[in-house]
Amino acid sequence: MTSKEQKIASFDPNGVGDIGGGLFGLPFTIEESEVVIIPTPWEVTVSYSAGTALGPQAVKDASPQLDLYEPTIRDAWKLGIAMEEISEEWAATSEVLRGKAEAYINWLEAGSPEVGKAEFENLPAEVTAKGEEFLQWLKQKALRYLEQGKLVAVLGGDHSTPLGLMHALAEKHEEYGILQVDAHADLREAYEGFEYSHASIMYNALKLPQVKKLVQVGIRDICQAEAELAQQSNGRVAIFYDAVLKENLYGGDSWKKECKKIIAQLPQQVYISFDIDGLDPKLCPGTGTPVPGGLEFEQAMFLVRQLVKSGREIIGFDLCEVAPGDSEWNGNVGARVLLKLCNLMAASQQKLEAQF
């Protein structure tokens, strides 16, 4: 059997990406890799455009096209990054429940007429029960990898999917903060009746006492109840609205200064929740709920680099809401975000040597 060291010796990082290989065309198995990506093909509660359940495959398909050289992180590709097989069972369950949920949402938007009430009244409970099962499946899977000393990330799927990883990390760490890059606050309680809605992920995360701080960046589509929840959180939730960030930049502040203010809100250990719609939608037009505005790619990556440079430790992350759309562009951008986050997480835990 070929060892990891032998694979490193024989692999050409300058060659053509191997589309038949692993994630990013890398030759490593799950066992050999320091970073394990768990794909979550789930989008039952999406309330606008579907497609995010196909995100993991779109990212994987695009990933061999990326060059692996990272100027500020030495020999990053040698770390070993591997992604689990995409669960056909969860993908099929998502597809079936998504059909039911879409009909239910249409019924709600029609004013919940008496016709159809009997058909839909038990659906939220059915979806919630399956969402709880999904949470426990991911939590136990993540815990097994964490106990092996691996770094773990989730590749969604809609933004509801990483809650199980957050629960797993809550068992491994006394406290941590969440840095959320997103167009939406996702602080709704059981949105549209679904406890594990994609729009409720951060409301649910805050139920974990280990989550001491939630710092949201790029928010530009938020309801009054969410804003009030943040205002009444006694500082536990800090929102850096996209409009305010832009106003500060237009007024002459540097992005580096804004990043410093963001990072100052975070504790030593940080989980990153990266919704692709936190970026300018020209970078992710296929995502389910695109919103004008947002961060540029390098703005977002600069923020994460500054987080690492501050000495904080990234203990896990998710990348969600990538949908294939009408072209390969969405998977391309998603793959680049994923690779950067993997490398920067490893650098923050000193598994890679960084110079920035």
Side-chain angles (χ1 to χ4, degrees):
M1 181 179 292
T2 306
S3 68
K4 182 177 181 179
E5 291 72 22
Q6 290 171 320
K7 289 181 179 180
I8 289 173
S10 62
F11 182 77
D12 180 9
N14 304 302
V16 177
D18 180 7
I19 60 173
L23 191 66
F24 306 114
L26 292 169
F28 307 116
T29 65
I30 293 283
E31 292 71 26
E32 294 164 340
S33 297
E34 294 281 351
V35 179
V36 175
I37 311 297
I38 304 174
T40 52
W42 181 265
E43 59 171 2
V44 175
T45 65
V46 292
S47 48
Y48 193 55
S49 297
T52 61
L54 303 174
Q57 189 63 55
V59 169
K60 184 177 188 297
D61 289 346
S63 69
Q65 305 303 320
L66 276 60
D67 283 317
L68 299 172
Y69 178 67
E70 183 69 60
T72 58
I73 302 177
R74 184 178 179 181
D75 294 333
W77 68 271
K78 295 181 181 179
L79 174 76
I81 303 171
M83 185 169 85
E84 281 200 337
E85 292 295 319
I86 299 169
S87 170
E88 293 182 5
E89 181 179 353
W90 281 118
T93 301
S94 174
E95 185 174 5
V96 170
L97 286 180
R98 170 61 196 149
K100 293 181 179 182
E102 185 175 16
Y104 170 76
I105 292 168
N106 290 338
W107 176 73
L108 287 179
E109 292 176 345
S112 306
E114 194 65 27
V115 176
K117 184 176 180 180
E119 178 184 356
F120 293 124
E121 63 182 356
N122 294 322
L123 184 62
E126 179 185 355
V127 172
T128 293
K130 191 56 70 170
E132 176 66 28
E133 185 181 334
F134 184 88
L135 185 160
Q136 295 301 328
W137 167 82
L138 178 58
K139 176 183 176 181
Q140 295 308 317
K141 187 178 285 289
L143 278 172
R144 287 196 296 272
Y145 288 129
L146 291 170
E147 288 164 1
Q148 294 170 27
K150 295 185 184 297
L151 305 178
V152 182
V154 161
L155 177 59
D158 74 32
H159 208 170
S160 73
T161 61
L163 188 59
L165 175 55
M166 296 177 187
H167 276 250
L169 290 167
E171 291 200 4
K172 302 294 288 185
H173 300 277
E174 291 185 5
E175 65 176 64
Y176 65 90
I178 297 175
L179 172 61
Q180 177 190 359
V181 176
D182 206 325
H184 310 88
D186 294 342
L187 288 168
R188 296 173 183 262
E189 180 181 4
Y191 185 55
E192 296 175 326
F194 301 122
E195 181 176 348
Y196 296 114
S197 168
H198 68 107
S200 304
I201 176 65
M202 293 307 159
Y203 183 91
N204 291 329
L206 289 172
K207 294 178 183 178
L208 293 166
Q210 294 87 345
V211 175
K212 298 300 181 183
K213 189 82 179 192
L214 170 61
V215 178
Q216 303 180 306
V217 179
I219 306 301
R220 52 197 188 276
D221 201 12
I222 184 172
C223 76
Q224 182 175 337
E226 292 175 298
E228 290 176 351
L229 186 154
Q231 292 162 4
Q232 297 166 10
S233 69
N234 294 318
R236 191 181 181 202
V237 180
I239 302 180
F240 288 82
Y241 289 100
D242 189 59
V244 176
L245 290 171
K246 298 291 173 52
E247 184 175 332
N248 292 343
L249 292 176
Y250 301 153
D253 287 348
S254 69
W255 180 237
K256 185 174 184 178
K257 180 178 179 180
E258 295 303 304
C259 290
K260 187 175 181 180
K261 289 190 286 187
I262 293 165
I263 293 165
Q265 294 278 342
L266 289 161
Q268 175 63 23
Q269 294 183 314
V270 179
Y271 176 89
I272 297 178
S273 192
F274 199 114
D275 187 321
I276 201 75
D277 71 25
L279 299 178
D280 186 306
K282 68 176 180 287
L283 297 167
C284 52
T287 194
T289 47
V291 183
L295 305 184
E296 295 294 339
F297 178 87
E298 280 302 338
Q299 270 188 306
M301 294 305 105
F302 182 85
L303 171 59
V304 181
R305 285 197 298 272
Q306 291 299 112
L307 178 72
V308 177
K309 192 174 180 180
S310 76
R312 287 169 174 80
E313 178 186 3
I314 301 170
I315 60 171
F317 74 84
D318 64 74
L319 172 61
C320 292
E321 303 286 349
V322 178
D326 298 326
S327 73
E328 297 178 356
W329 178 243
N330 296 278
N332 182 319
V333 173
R336 294 174 189 278
V337 173
L338 182 65
L339 181 59
K340 294 284 188 183
L341 290 177
C342 287
N343 290 339
L344 288 165
M345 175 169 63
S348 79
Q349 298 211 20
Q350 300 182 337
K351 290 179 180 287
L352 289 173
E353 181 181 341
Q355 295 177 336
F356 47 79

